[in-house]
Coordinates of all heavy atoms in Angstrom, one line a residue:
M1 N 215.0 405.9 31.4 CA 215.3 405.1 32.6 C 215.2 403.6 32.2 O 214.1 403.2 31.7 CB 214.4 405.4 33.7 CG 214.8 404.8 35.0 SD 213.6 405.1 36.3 CE 214.1 406.6 36.9
P2 N 216.2 402.7 32.4 CA 216.1 401.3 32.1 C 215.1 400.6 32.9 O 215.0 400.9 34.1 CB 217.5 400.8 32.2 CG 218.2 401.7 33.2 CD 217.5 403.0 33.0
K3 N 214.4 399.7 32.3 CA 213.4 398.9 33.1 C 214.1 397.7 33.7 O 215.0 397.1 33.1 CB 212.3 398.3 32.2 CG 211.4 399.4 31.6 CD 210.3 398.7 30.8 CE 209.4 399.8 30.3 NZ 208.3 399.2 29.5
T4 N 213.8 397.5 35.0 CA 214.4 396.3 35.6 C 213.3 395.2 35.7 O 212.2 395.5 36.1 CB 214.9 396.7 37.1 OG1 213.8 397.2 37.8 CG2 216.0 397.7 37.0
P5 N 213.7 394.0 35.4 CA 212.7 392.9 35.5 C 212.3 392.7 36.9 O 213.1 392.8 37.8 CB 213.5 391.7 34.9 CG 214.9 392.0 35.0 CD 215.0 393.5 35.0
M6 N 211.0 392.3 37.0 CA 210.5 392.0 38.4 C 211.0 390.6 38.8 O 211.0 389.7 38.0 CB 209.0 392.0 38.4 CG 208.4 393.3 38.3 SD 206.6 393.3 38.4 CE 206.3 392.4 39.9
K7 N 211.5 390.5 40.0 CA 212.0 389.3 40.5 C 210.8 388.6 41.2 O 210.1 389.2 41.9 CB 213.2 389.4 41.4 CG 214.4 389.9 40.6 CD 215.6 390.0 41.5 CE 216.8 390.4 40.8 NZ 218.0 390.5 41.6
S8 N 210.7 387.3 41.0 CA 209.7 386.5 41.7 C 210.4 385.7 42.7 O 211.2 384.9 42.4 CB 209.0 385.7 40.6 OG 208.2 384.7 41.3
S9 N 210.1 385.8 43.9 CA 210.7 385.1 45.0 C 210.2 383.6 45.0 O 209.0 383.4 44.7 CB 210.5 385.7 46.3 OG 209.2 385.5 46.8
K10 N 211.1 382.7 45.3 CA 210.7 381.3 45.3 C 209.7 381.0 46.4 O 208.8 380.2 46.3 CB 211.9 380.4 45.5 CG 212.8 380.3 44.2 CD 213.8 379.3 44.4 CE 214.7 379.3 43.1 NZ 215.7 378.2 43.1
S11 N 209.8 381.7 47.5 CA 208.9 381.5 48.6 C 207.5 381.9 48.2 O 206.5 381.3 48.6 CB 209.3 382.2 49.9 OG 209.4 383.6 49.7
A12 N 207.4 383.0 47.4 CA 206.0 383.4 47.0 C 205.5 382.4 46.0 O 204.3 382.1 46.0 CB 206.1 384.8 46.3
Q13 N 206.3 381.8 45.2 CA 205.8 380.7 44.3 C 205.4 379.5 45.1 O 204.4 378.9 44.7 CB 206.9 380.4 43.3 CG 207.2 381.4 42.3 CD 208.4 381.1 41.5 OE1 209.2 380.2 41.7 NE2 208.7 381.9 40.4
R14 N 206.1 379.1 46.1 CA 205.8 377.9 46.9 C 204.4 378.0 47.6 O 203.7 377.1 47.7 CB 206.9 377.7 47.9 CG 208.1 377.1 47.4 CD 209.0 376.6 48.5 NE 210.4 376.5 47.9 CZ 211.4 377.3 48.3 NH1 211.3 378.1 49.3 NH2 212.6 377.2 47.8
R15 N 204.1 379.2 48.0 CA 202.8 379.4 48.7 C 201.6 379.1 47.8 O 200.6 378.7 48.3 CB 202.7 380.8 49.2 CG 203.4 381.0 50.5 CD 203.3 382.4 51.0 NE 204.4 383.1 50.3 CZ 204.7 384.4 50.4 NH1 204.0 385.1 51.2 NH2 205.7 384.9 49.8
T16 N 201.8 379.2 46.5 CA 200.7 379.0 45.6 C 200.7 377.6 45.0 O 199.7 377.2 44.4 CB 200.7 380.0 44.4 OG1 201.9 379.8 43.7 CG2 200.6 381.4 44.9
M17 N 201.7 376.8 45.3 CA 201.8 375.5 44.8 C 201.2 374.5 45.8 O 201.2 374.8 47.0 CB 203.3 375.1 44.5 CG 203.9 375.9 43.4 SD 205.6 375.7 43.2 CE 205.7 374.0 42.9
A18 N 200.8 373.3 45.3 CA 200.3 372.3 46.2 C 201.5 371.7 47.0 O 202.6 371.8 46.6 CB 199.7 371.2 45.4
P19 N 201.2 371.1 48.2 CA 202.3 370.5 49.0 C 203.1 369.5 48.2 O 202.5 368.9 47.3 CB 201.5 369.9 50.1 CG 200.2 370.6 50.2 CD 199.9 371.0 48.8
K20 N 204.3 369.3 48.6 CA 205.2 368.4 47.8 C 204.5 367.0 47.8 O 204.0 366.5 48.8 CB 206.5 368.2 48.5 CG 207.5 367.4 47.8 CD 208.8 367.4 48.5 CE 209.8 366.6 47.7 NZ 211.1 366.6 48.3
G21 N 204.4 366.4 46.6 CA 203.8 365.1 46.4 C 202.3 365.2 46.3 O 201.7 364.2 46.0
A22 N 201.7 366.3 46.4 CA 200.2 366.4 46.3 C 199.8 366.6 44.9 O 200.5 367.3 44.1 CB 199.7 367.5 47.2
K23 N 198.7 366.0 44.6 CA 198.1 366.2 43.3 C 197.1 367.3 43.4 O 196.5 367.4 44.5 CB 197.5 365.0 42.8 CG 198.5 363.9 42.5 CD 197.7 362.6 42.0 CE 198.7 361.5 41.9 NZ 198.1 360.2 41.5
S24 N 196.9 368.1 42.4 CA 195.9 369.1 42.5 C 194.5 368.5 42.9 O 194.1 367.7 42.2 CB 195.8 369.9 41.2 OG 194.9 370.9 41.3
G25 N 193.9 369.0 43.9 CA 192.7 368.4 44.4 C 192.8 367.1 45.1 O 191.8 366.5 45.4
G26 N 194.0 366.6 45.3 CA 194.1 365.3 46.0 C 193.9 365.4 47.5 O 193.7 366.5 48.0
M27 N 194.0 364.3 48.1 CA 193.7 364.3 49.6 C 194.7 365.1 50.3 O 194.4 365.7 51.4 CB 193.7 362.8 50.1 CG 192.5 362.1 49.7 SD 192.4 360.6 50.7 CE 191.4 359.6 49.7
E28 N 196.0 365.2 49.9 CA 197.0 365.9 50.6 C 196.7 367.4 50.7 O 197.1 368.1 51.6 CB 198.4 365.7 49.9 CG 198.9 364.4 50.0 CD 198.4 363.3 49.0 OE1 197.6 363.7 48.2 OE2 198.8 362.2 49.1
A29 N 195.9 367.9 49.7 CA 195.5 369.3 49.7 C 194.3 369.6 50.7 O 194.1 370.8 51.0 CB 195.2 369.8 48.3
R30 N 193.7 368.6 51.2 CA 192.5 368.8 52.1 C 193.0 368.9 53.5 O 194.1 368.6 53.9 CB 191.6 367.6 52.0 CG 191.0 367.5 50.6 CD 190.4 366.2 50.3 NE 189.2 365.9 51.1 CZ 188.5 364.8 51.1 NH1 188.8 363.8 50.3 NH2 187.5 364.6 51.9
T31 N 192.1 369.5 54.4 CA 192.5 369.7 55.8 C 192.3 368.4 56.5 O 191.6 367.5 56.1 CB 191.6 370.7 56.4 OG1 190.3 370.3 56.4 CG2 191.7 372.1 55.7
K32 N 193.0 368.3 57.7 CA 192.9 367.1 58.5 C 191.5 366.9 59.0 O 190.9 365.8 59.1 CB 193.9 367.2 59.7 CG 193.8 366.0 60.6 CD 194.7 366.1 61.8 CE 194.6 364.9 62.7 NZ 195.5 365.0 63.9
E33 N 190.8 368.1 59.3 CA 189.4 368.0 59.8 C 188.5 367.4 58.7 O 187.6 366.7 59.0 CB 189.0 369.4 60.2 CG 189.7 369.9 61.5 CD 191.1 370.5 61.2 OE1 191.4 370.8 60.0 OE2 191.8 370.6 62.1
D34 N 188.7 367.8 57.5 CA 187.9 367.3 56.4 C 188.1 365.8 56.2 O 187.2 365.0 56.0 CB 188.2 368.1 55.1 CG 187.4 367.7 53.9 OD1 186.2 367.5 54.2 OD2 187.9 367.6 52.8
L35 N 189.4 365.4 56.3 CA 189.7 364.0 56.2 C 189.1 363.2 57.3 O 188.6 362.1 57.1 CB 191.2 363.8 56.1 CG 191.9 364.4 54.9 CD1 193.4 364.4 55.1 CD2 191.6 363.6 53.6
Y36 N 189.1 363.8 58.5 CA 188.5 363.1 59.7 C 187.0 362.9 59.5 O 186.5 361.8 59.8 CB 188.8 364.0 60.9 CG 188.1 363.4 62.2 CD1 188.7 362.4 62.9 CD2 186.8 363.8 62.6 CE1 188.1 361.9 64.0 CE2 186.2 363.3 63.7 CZ 186.8 362.3 64.4 OH 186.2 361.8 65.5
R37 N 186.3 363.9 59.0 CA 184.9 363.8 58.7 C 184.6 362.7 57.7 O 183.7 361.9 57.9 CB 184.3 365.1 58.2 CG 184.1 366.1 59.4 CD 183.3 367.3 58.9 NE 184.0 368.1 57.9 CZ 184.8 369.1 58.2 NH1 185.0 369.5 59.4 NH2 185.4 369.8 57.2
E38 N 185.4 362.6 56.7 CA 185.2 361.5 55.7 C 185.5 360.2 56.3 O 184.8 359.2 56.0 CB 186.2 361.8 54.5 CG 185.9 360.8 53.4 CD 186.6 361.0 52.1 OE1 187.0 362.2 51.9 OE2 186.8 360.1 51.3
A39 N 186.5 360.1 57.1 CA 186.9 358.8 57.8 C 185.7 358.4 58.7 O 185.4 357.2 58.9 CB 188.2 358.9 58.6
R40 N 185.1 359.4 59.4 CA 184.0 359.1 60.3 C 182.8 358.5 59.5 O 182.2 357.5 59.8 CB 183.5 360.3 61.0 CG 182.4 360.1 62.0 CD 182.1 361.3 62.8 NE 181.6 362.3 61.9 CZ 181.6 363.6 62.2 NH1 182.1 364.1 63.3 NH2 181.2 364.5 61.3
K41 N 182.5 359.1 58.3 CA 181.5 358.6 57.5 C 181.7 357.2 56.9 O 180.8 356.4 56.8 CB 181.3 359.6 56.3 CG 180.6 360.9 56.6 CD 180.5 361.7 55.4 CE 180.0 363.1 55.7 NZ 180.0 364.0 54.5
A42 N 183.0 356.9 56.7 CA 183.5 355.6 56.2 C 183.5 354.6 57.3 O 183.7 353.4 57.0 CB 184.8 355.8 55.5
G43 N 183.4 355.0 58.6 CA 183.4 354.1 59.7 C 184.8 353.6 60.0 O 185.0 352.5 60.6
I44 N 185.8 354.4 59.8 CA 187.2 354.0 60.1 C 187.5 354.1 61.5 O 187.3 355.2 62.1 CB 188.2 354.8 59.2 CG1 188.0 354.5 57.7 CG2 189.7 354.6 59.7 CD1 188.8 355.4 56.8
E45 N 187.9 353.0 62.2 CA 188.1 353.1 63.6 C 189.5 353.6 63.9 O 190.4 353.5 63.2 CB 187.9 351.6 64.2 CG 186.5 351.1 64.1 CD 186.3 349.8 64.8 OE1 187.1 349.5 65.7 OE2 185.4 349.1 64.4
G46 N 189.6 354.3 65.1 CA 190.9 354.8 65.5 C 191.2 356.1 64.9 O 192.3 356.6 65.0
R47 N 190.3 356.7 64.2 CA 190.5 357.9 63.4 C 190.9 359.1 64.3 O 191.7 360.0 63.9 CB 189.4 358.3 62.5 CG 188.1 358.6 63.3 CD 186.9 358.7 62.4 NE 185.7 358.9 63.2 CZ 184.9 357.8 63.6 NH1 185.3 356.6 63.2 NH2 183.9 358.0 64.3
S48 N 190.4 359.2 65.5 CA 190.7 360.3 66.4 C 192.2 360.4 66.8 O 192.7 361.4 67.1 CB 189.8 360.3 67.6 OG 190.1 359.2 68.4
Q49 N 192.9 359.3 66.7 CA 194.3 359.2 67.1 C 195.2 359.3 65.9 O 196.4 359.3 66.0 CB 194.6 357.9 67.8 CG 193.7 357.7 69.1 CD 194.0 358.8 70.1 OE1 195.2 359.2 70.4 NE2 192.9 359.4 70.7
M50 N 194.6 359.4 64.7 CA 195.4 359.4 63.5 C 195.9 360.7 63.1 O 195.2 361.7 63.3 CB 194.6 358.8 62.3 CG 194.3 357.4 62.4 SD 193.4 356.8 60.9 CE 193.0 355.1 61.4
S51 N 197.1 360.8 62.5 CA 197.7 362.0 61.9 C 197.0 362.2 60.5 O 196.3 361.3 60.0 CB 199.2 361.9 61.7 OG 199.5 360.9 60.7
K52 N 197.3 363.3 59.9 CA 196.7 363.6 58.6 C 197.1 362.5 57.6 O 196.3 362.0 56.8 CB 197.1 364.9 58.1 CG 196.6 365.3 56.7 CD 197.0 366.7 56.3 CE 196.5 367.0 54.9 NZ 196.7 368.4 54.5
S53 N 198.4 362.1 57.6 CA 198.9 361.1 56.6 C 198.3 359.8 56.9 O 198.1 359.0 56.0 CB 200.5 361.1 56.6 OG 200.9 360.7 57.9
Q54 N 198.1 359.4 58.2 CA 197.4 358.2 58.5 C 196.0 358.1 58.1 O 195.5 357.1 57.6 CB 197.5 357.9 60.0 CG 198.9 357.6 60.5 CD 199.0 357.6 62.0 OE1 198.4 358.4 62.7 NE2 199.8 356.7 62.5
L55 N 195.3 359.3 58.2 CA 193.9 359.4 57.7 C 193.9 359.1 56.2 O 193.0 358.4 55.7 CB 193.3 360.7 58.1 CG 192.9 360.9 59.5 CD1 192.6 362.4 59.8 CD2 191.7 360.0 59.9
I56 N 194.8 359.8 55.5 CA 194.9 359.6 54.0 C 195.1 358.1 53.7 O 194.4 357.6 52.8 CB 196.0 360.5 53.4 CG1 195.6 362.0 53.6 CG2 196.2 360.1 52.0 CD1 196.7 363.0 53.2
S57 N 196.0 357.5 54.3 CA 196.3 356.1 54.1 C 195.1 355.2 54.3 O 194.7 354.3 53.5 CB 197.5 355.6 54.9 OG 198.6 356.2 54.5
A58 N 194.4 355.4 55.5 CA 193.2 354.7 55.8 C 192.1 354.9 54.8 O 191.4 353.9 54.4 CB 192.8 355.0 57.2
L59 N 191.9 356.1 54.4 CA 190.8 356.4 53.4 C 191.1 355.7 52.1 O 190.2 355.2 51.4 CB 190.6 357.9 53.3 CG 190.0 358.6 54.4 CD1 190.1 360.1 54.4 CD2 188.5 358.2 54.5
R60 N 192.4 355.7 51.7 CA 192.8 355.1 50.4 C 192.6 353.6 50.5 O 192.2 353.0 49.5 CB 194.2 355.5 50.0 CG 194.3 356.9 49.5 CD 195.7 357.2 49.1 NE 195.7 358.6 48.5 CZ 196.7 359.4 48.5 NH1 197.8 359.0 49.1 NH2 196.6 360.6 48.0
R61 N 192.9 353.0 51.6 CA 192.7 351.5 51.8 C 191.3 351.2 51.8 O 190.9 350.1 51.4 CB 193.4 351.1 53.1 CG 194.8 350.9 53.0 CD 195.4 350.1 54.3 NE 194.9 350.7 55.5 CZ 195.6 351.6 56.2 NH1 196.8 352.1 55.8 NH2 195.1 352.1 57.4
N62 N 190.4 352.1 52.3 CA 189.0 351.8 52.4 C 188.3 351.9 51.1 O 187.1 351.5 51.0 CB 188.4 352.8 53.4 CG 187.0 352.4 53.9 OD1 186.9 351.3 54.3 ND2 186.1 353.3 53.8
R63 N 188.9 352.5 50.1 CA 188.2 352.7 48.8 C 188.1 351.4 48.0 O 188.7 350.5 48.0 CB 188.9 353.7 47.9 CG 188.7 355.1 48.4 CD 189.3 356.1 47.5 NE 189.0 357.4 48.0 CZ 189.3 358.5 47.3 NH1 190.0 358.4 46.3 NH2 189.0 359.6 47.8

């Protein structure tokens, strides 16, 4: 019986990859809640109204 190669679906591969534009271990890979906690520690004002991408930008500016 001939062997058939296993097909790997692209969607299965995407689930294991970091989000587009994210570096492994970068801020993009962290949760919004985690970023919020870091922003609170850094004293960033207006953090409760910020989106995840806004929190990332504010934290990077604060460094």
Side-chain angles (χ1 to χ4, degrees):
M1 187 185 276
K3 292 184 180 179
T4 57
M6 287 184 54
K7 291 185 179 180
S8 166
S9 72
K10 287 187 180 185
S11 61
Q13 291 172 349
R14 282 189 203 117
R15 280 179 275 185
T16 60
M17 295 172 59
K20 186 175 181 181
K23 294 178 183 175
S24 178
M27 284 194 205
E28 290 83 359
R30 296 167 62 184
T31 64
K32 181 179 177 183
E33 292 78 20
D34 185 39
L35 295 167
Y36 176 85
R37 283 191 293 270
E38 187 173 337
R40 185 177 60 204
K41 288 179 187 176
I44 295 172
E45 293 186 22
R47 63 189 172 268
S48 64
Q49 301 299 315
M50 292 183 183
S51 66
K52 181 177 177 176
S53 62
Q54 290 171 322
L55 286 167
I56 291 169
S57 295
L59 288 166
R60 286 184 174 151
R61 280 192 307 269
N62 196 50
R63 286 187 175 182

